[in-house]
Amino acid sequence: MSHRNAILSQIVAFLPRHEFDSLAKVHHVGRRFRSFNRWSQFMALTIAQLSGRVSLRDLVDNIAARARRLYHLGMRSLSRSNLELRPA
């Protein structure tokens, strides 16, 4: 069986992780993340946008169904509370 890169990994390849991390450090304002990092949040929102998810619950369920592949994207596990907006 031949190896093929997923479309999502091809899209993410345009923004290397080390460049993303350096930009995030320069432009980050606010509290520090405890268990969820900026890259995982970015990937979750990218998946939501590209797959047309309509709610946080829908997004979390979709990502949970592909939990074994999160490692390859550099993501951590996801819950609704990771993505919800909280008052500052």
Side-chain angles (χ1 to χ4, degrees):
M1 177 187 248
S2 64
H3 173 76
R4 295 183 187 165
N5 285 336
I7 293 173
L8 183 59
S9 68
Q10 292 176 15
I11 292 171
V12 172
F14 286 112
L15 182 62
R17 174 98 187 246
H18 62 88
E19 287 184 30
F20 178 86
D21 288 336
S22 65
L23 289 171
K25 285 180 184 175
V26 170
H27 297 287
H28 177 72
V29 175
R31 292 187 290 178
R32 183 173 175 227
F33 296 111
R34 286 187 177 184
S35 63
F36 203 61
N37 58 22
R38 295 176 192 103
W39 180 258
S40 295
Q41 184 178 20
F42 172 72
M43 289 304 302
L45 295 177
T46 302
I47 291 169
Q49 184 70 36
L50 293 175
S51 62
R53 300 292 155 202
V54 295
S55 67
L56 287 177
R57 189 177 308 256
D58 185 21
L59 174 62
V60 170
D61 290 344
N62 179 268
I63 291 177
R66 294 165 176 79
R68 292 183 297 157
R69 299 179 187 164
L70 294 180
Y71 173 78
H72 299 289
L73 293 173
M75 290 181 66
R76 295 184 180 167
S77 61
L78 176 70
S79 68
R80 268 188 17 229
S81 63
N82 292 125
L83 296 175
E84 289 178 337
L85 291 176
R86 295 186 183 120

